Amino acid sequence: MTADACRILGSDGPIARALGDGYEPRPQQLEMAERVAGALEDRSHLLVEAGTGVGKSFAYLVPAIRRCLANGEKVVVATNTIALQEQLINRDIPLLASTIGDGPDDDDADPGWSGRLRPVLVKGRGNYVSIRRLKLASQRQDKLFADAGARRSLHVIEDWAYDTEDGSLSTLPAIERPGVWDKVQSDSGNCMGRRCGHYQECFYQRARREMEQANLLICNHALFFSDLALRARGTGMLPVYQHVILDEAHGVEDVAAEHFGVRLTEGRVFHLLSSLVSARGNKGFLPQLQLASGDLDIVERAIGLVRRADGAARDFFDELIVLSQTEEVAGGRVRRAGAIDNPITPAFNDLVIRLKALRDEVSSEADRFELNAYAERAKAIADSAEILVDQTVDGCCYWIEAGGSGDERSRRRTNVTLACSPIEVGPLLKEHLFGKEHSVVLTSATLATRMIEPDEPAERAETAFAHAMDRLGCDGAETLQLGSPFDFAEQVELFVDTSMPAPTYGRGTGPSFEDALAERVMDHVAATDGGAFVLFTSLRTLDIVAAKLESPLDALGHPVLVQRAGVSRTRLLDDFRADPRSVLFGAASFWQGVDVRGDGLRCVIITRLPFDPPGRPLTEARLERIKDRGGDPFREDSIPRAVIRFKQGFGRLVRSHTDRGRVVVLDPRIVTKAYGRKFVESLPSGVEPRLIGE
């Protein structure tokens, strides 16, 4: 099987013949394909850092497809970004399927296996429209929706639903009121199954049938780890699989922590309550109910419980804001159980009982299913509040995300959240992912904390992956680091400005620092005539520096694009690509998963080494856990995380053999601090900093 993967990807293989002169065989890709094929064969675990340009998607897809065709096995491939999922399902897999062949040709292949590749893009249930619920919402729109904007949004969904082929959110046009989707999406709580008159044509049921029959499943990290968390509780959505491949694996820990945790948001709670009955009391699901007995007092009592739950929720979230502003909850972290009263759980449990009782009274079967779904969601809110207030899940960090003030209930404010996540996901992943019988391959351009020397002993080489293996719970996994086929020493100039004041948390980041930052950014944008990403670790600093430079840059003919709330990353990137003199100011999401090839991106400016703010609750808890074990939190966790993120930012510049440009680091600590060398050592061979500003 390993030789077969290399044959397919080799210079005389079927892919080379299909692509013709445009195909470049890469030794790194062949080595990765061989190692991935071996891991799948042995049902073992493998971490692969594959530099930009290796072609890692082909390197894991070829062995994966061969397992599907020759062995009748199921493979799950999970990525972090939509762009990569679409690339795999729309471009890479169709090409490989057409070149590898449509049946097994190995001597040891199972003759009973059909050999047909059946790939599918797996999406969560809430991504699909329910035809039955859409028709029901349309019939009742005057009673369900309180404003014209919501009804217009419903009409857009209706027009789309009868033309769409897949019925998923990915093709739905923009709508004024996104919350309307909640009334028409597929939902397990109100699914009628085969009793539904639209069962055969149901978009979700059709997608589920395709998933069950598929052998190559493509999904995102969120869906995969949501399923893994469900499996830990005895349920799940994905079918049984034999292999897992996690691409863009540098983000796995954060996604896993989120899905093994619990979140209760203000928006989630009040959306449910307003769906049951609007603030004005004459719109929503409950007011339009028709009861078999005709006793409307039963509905009025349910509406009364909604009002009570609404009041309890307002008290709860207002108190969360007040608590977040106390010294006890510095930085938002809640360190003790019972730090706040919990009126939500009893109020919502009472509402659950009333909603379930209403199921026996309504005259419509469809309404019974809707009531069941509302009861399930109310119960989930009650349970989440109890877990979070009483802190019943051990090994978790609990925190509040809050904005605004609880003094004025009517004022608009940021959505308030109470949440928890496991401080360490490694033990959970060791049990529920790496402790199972399937193989697991993790790959990314950034998994190791340094470049491994060519003649380095294997036991020493593994230390480059030590942080990833520890945090993900895959101790003992095989490792492989593959450098990029690009000549970074020739294609990239690395500048470090040693005249910049070193940024520190809590001091040294005032006006003088921001002025200096703006001045240096202006100099380097001028040197490359734009085509620049300016990467920040703080949205506040980003806003200040962007405000200082928008007018001067605009006066020089440089379009300025700034990452702000409500502006999509896709739109910013499209606008950036449209003008080669553009300058984009971005924060976290622009450090990774962004691909701008060619002359459009000539300069990447890293304003600060990307250390996690030490006051962030989950970061603080992780560091405390290491210290309690007698370790060095800064060396063991803070530096490795920052190095990985730094490599991501550096990697934005060169995406092809022809890309050229400069990476500028406006943080002198990379050369003035002893730990700064670790950042330099993580970069491709031959890239050395050029000091400026002295």
Side-chain angles (χ1 to χ4, degrees):
M1 183 67 72
T2 58
D4 191 52
C6 292
R7 176 187 64 80
I8 291 168
L9 288 166
S11 57
D12 297 323
I15 297 174
R17 292 193 296 272
L19 294 178
D21 294 338
Y23 185 70
E24 296 180 16
R26 284 155 281 189
Q28 299 95 335
Q29 186 182 62
L30 297 179
E31 185 176 359
M32 178 175 173
E34 182 178 3
R35 292 289 297 275
V36 171
L40 302 188
E41 180 77 24
D42 299 337
R43 299 287 179 93
S44 59
H45 308 142
L46 174 67
L47 278 68
V48 183
E49 179 176 89
T52 306
V54 165
K56 66 181 186 307
S57 61
F58 275 26
Y60 62 69
L61 283 174
V62 168
I65 290 172
R66 297 303 291 153
R67 297 304 300 187
C68 298
L69 295 178
N71 297 78
E73 296 171 346
K74 288 184 185 287
V75 182
V76 174
V77 177
T79 78
N80 195 45
T81 61
I82 294 173
L84 182 53
Q85 293 163 51
E86 292 177 343
Q87 173 191 313
L88 296 179
I89 204 73
N90 295 327
R91 191 183 75 189
D92 294 353
I93 293 172
L95 172 63
L96 291 173
S98 67
T99 56
I100 290 175
D102 201 34
D105 52 16
D106 296 331
D107 293 338
D108 61 346
D110 181 353
W113 173 243
S114 68
R116 186 167 66 87
L117 185 67
R118 295 185 293 271
V120 66
L121 179 61
V122 183
K123 302 178 183 180
R125 182 169 197 152
N127 281 274
Y128 294 94
V129 67
S130 164
I131 300 172
R132 178 185 67 80
R133 296 192 74 210
L134 176 61
K135 289 185 174 181
L136 191 66
S138 181
Q139 293 166 7
R140 300 173 174 180
Q141 59 184 284
D142 291 335
K143 296 179 179 179
L144 285 177
F145 302 115
D147 65 281
R151 292 188 289 274
R152 285 193 296 269
S153 296
L154 178 67
H155 298 156
V156 171
I157 296 173
E158 287 181 294
D159 292 341
W160 159 81
Y162 298 114
D163 287 331
T164 180
E165 293 184 2
D166 73 342
S168 79
L169 272 171
S170 62
T171 60
L172 176 67
I175 55 177
E176 291 179 67
R177 302 286 189 270
V180 172
W181 179 256
D182 180 68
K183 309 296 191 299
V184 302
Q185 69 180 15
S186 181
D187 187 306
S188 60
N190 54 36
C191 178
M192 298 176 70
R194 294 183 180 274
R195 296 166 60 184
C196 176
H198 301 282
Y199 179 79
Q200 291 301 325
E201 60 188 309
C202 175
F203 292 111
Y204 170 72
Q205 295 296 344
R206 185 176 69 189
R208 184 161 186 83
R209 289 191 292 270
E210 291 175 355
M211 180 187 72
E212 294 290 348
Q213 296 167 4
N215 48 23
L216 182 58
L217 292 81
I218 311 299
C219 65
N220 62 22
H221 287 173
L223 186 146
F224 179 79
F225 285 104
S226 175
D227 176 79
L228 200 67
L230 289 172
R231 286 170 182 256
R233 298 194 289 270
T235 60
M237 187 192 78
L238 293 173
V240 175
Y241 46 79
Q242 285 73 48
H243 310 284
V244 178
I245 298 171
L246 299 174
D247 200 347
E248 302 177 311
H250 56 275
V252 159
E253 182 186 7
D254 289 340
V255 179
E258 179 180 352
H259 287 278
F260 277 96
V262 179
R263 293 180 69 85
L264 184 63
T265 68
E266 191 176 23
R268 170 188 169 193
V269 171
F270 290 116
H271 180 70
L272 171 64
L273 296 174
S274 64
S275 296
L276 288 168
V277 55
S278 69
R280 284 174 282 182
N282 59 347
K283 301 289 183 181
F285 177 74
L286 290 178
Q288 58 81 44
L289 277 180
Q290 300 294 319
L291 304 185
S293 65
D295 184 2
L296 295 181
D297 286 345
I298 300 175
V299 174
E300 288 301 319
R301 288 196 291 273
I303 290 174
L305 287 175
V306 172
R307 301 288 187 224
R308 178 190 161 205
D310 183 275
R314 291 183 185 279
D315 289 341
F316 179 77
F317 287 108
D318 285 344
E319 288 303 313
L320 277 181
I321 291 177
V322 172
L323 179 63
S324 71
Q325 296 168 345
T326 64
E327 292 184 4
E328 179 186 356
V329 188
R333 187 174 175 191
V334 184
R335 293 178 175 271
R336 65 180 178 90
I340 187 175
D341 290 335
N342 175 19
I344 281 189
T345 297
F348 275 75
N349 277 335
D350 288 346
L351 180 59
V352 170
I353 294 171
R354 179 60 60 187
L355 293 174
K356 288 181 176 180
L358 272 175
R359 286 184 307 191
D360 301 327
E361 301 289 339
V362 296
S363 55
S364 164
E365 184 179 31
D367 284 337
R368 285 197 287 275
F369 280 92
E370 291 290 318
L371 282 164
N372 183 71
Y374 282 124
E376 285 186 359
R377 290 162 65 183
K379 181 60 176 170
I381 288 171
D383 291 346
S384 295
E386 184 172 27
I387 290 170
L388 292 166
V389 173
D390 294 343
Q391 300 193 356
T392 57
V393 182
D394 293 334
C396 280
C397 171
Y398 295 78
W399 73 90
I400 303 167
E401 298 168 11
S405 168
D407 296 336
E408 302 176 51
R409 295 192 176 197
S410 61
R411 77 183 295 272
R412 295 181 64 84
R413 69 188 187 200
T414 304
N415 192 17
V416 183
T417 299
L418 183 61
C420 75
S421 283
I423 298 171
E424 296 176 310
V425 298
L428 292 168
L429 296 184
K430 185 174 184 177
E431 177 182 358
H432 300 294
L433 178 61
F434 297 103
K436 304 300 180 181
E437 294 183 357
H438 48 248
S439 67
V440 184
V441 175
L442 297 96
T443 184
S444 169
T446 54
L447 282 178
T449 54
R450 61 178 176 82
M451 293 300 295
I452 299 171
E453 298 298 325
D455 299 327
E456 201 167 319
E459 59 272 16
R460 161 72 177 158
E462 284 187 4
T463 62
F465 290 87
H467 183 261
M469 289 193 289
D470 177 62
R471 299 309 303 175
L472 298 178
C474 55
D475 294 340
E478 298 177 19
T479 63
L480 174 65
Q481 185 182 65
L482 298 167
S484 171
F486 302 153
D487 187 351
F488 279 89
E490 175 65 25
Q491 294 176 250
V492 180
E493 288 185 287
L494 174 61
F495 294 93
V496 176
D497 193 326
T498 58
S499 68
M500 276 290 297
T504 56
Y505 292 98
R507 64 185 191 279
T509 55
S512 61
F513 174 81
E514 290 143 3
D515 287 341
L517 204 57
E519 178 184 344
R520 304 313 196 280
V521 169
M522 193 74 181
D523 290 343
H524 289 284
V525 168
T528 60
D529 194 31
F533 274 7
V534 189
L535 302 179
F536 293 82
T537 60
S538 161
L539 285 172
R540 176 186 173 277
T541 306
L542 182 156
D543 288 338
I544 292 171
V545 175
K548 291 176 181 291
L549 293 180
E550 276 187 283
S551 293
L553 288 172
D554 184 65
L556 294 174
H558 295 293
V560 176
L561 306 167
V562 183
Q563 181 180 358
R564 291 190 173 106
V567 181
S568 76
R569 187 173 79 159
T570 300
R571 173 65 183 274
L572 287 172
L573 284 173
D574 288 344
D575 290 345
F576 181 83
R577 293 186 180 104
D579 192 319
R581 303 188 74 233
S582 296
V583 180
L584 189 151
F585 292 78
S589 63
F590 283 93
W591 285 75
Q592 58 183 314
V594 176
D595 196 347
V596 180
R597 300 190 178 208
D599 194 49
L601 180 59
R602 304 177 295 281
C603 180
V604 172
I605 301 173
I606 295 174
T607 59
R608 185 173 188 160
L609 295 180
F611 287 102
D612 286 333
R616 185 178 296 164
L618 191 54
T619 300
E620 184 180 63
R622 286 169 175 165
L623 299 182
E624 287 177 359
R625 180 67 59 89
I626 294 170
K627 187 175 181 180
D628 290 344
R629 290 200 298 256
D632 181 339
F634 185 67
R635 181 178 60 83
E636 294 179 27
D637 196 69
S638 299
I639 293 175
R641 288 182 190 278
V643 166
I644 295 294
R645 199 169 295 121
F646 175 76
K647 289 171 64 178
Q648 285 285 330
F650 178 91
R652 294 315 93 211
L653 182 66
V654 174
R655 312 302 295 175
S656 73
H657 283 288
T658 59
D659 291 351
R660 296 287 190 280
R662 64 174 63 187
V663 174
V664 181
V665 180
L666 299 180
D667 188 336
R669 292 177 296 176
I670 196 171
V671 292
T672 61
K673 296 292 186 181
Y675 61 75
R677 193 65 199 169
K678 295 185 180 297
F679 291 85
V680 178
E681 290 172 350
S682 73
L683 297 177
S685 178
V687 176
E688 289 291 337
R690 174 181 168 187
L691 307 185
I692 59 174
E694 294 181 328

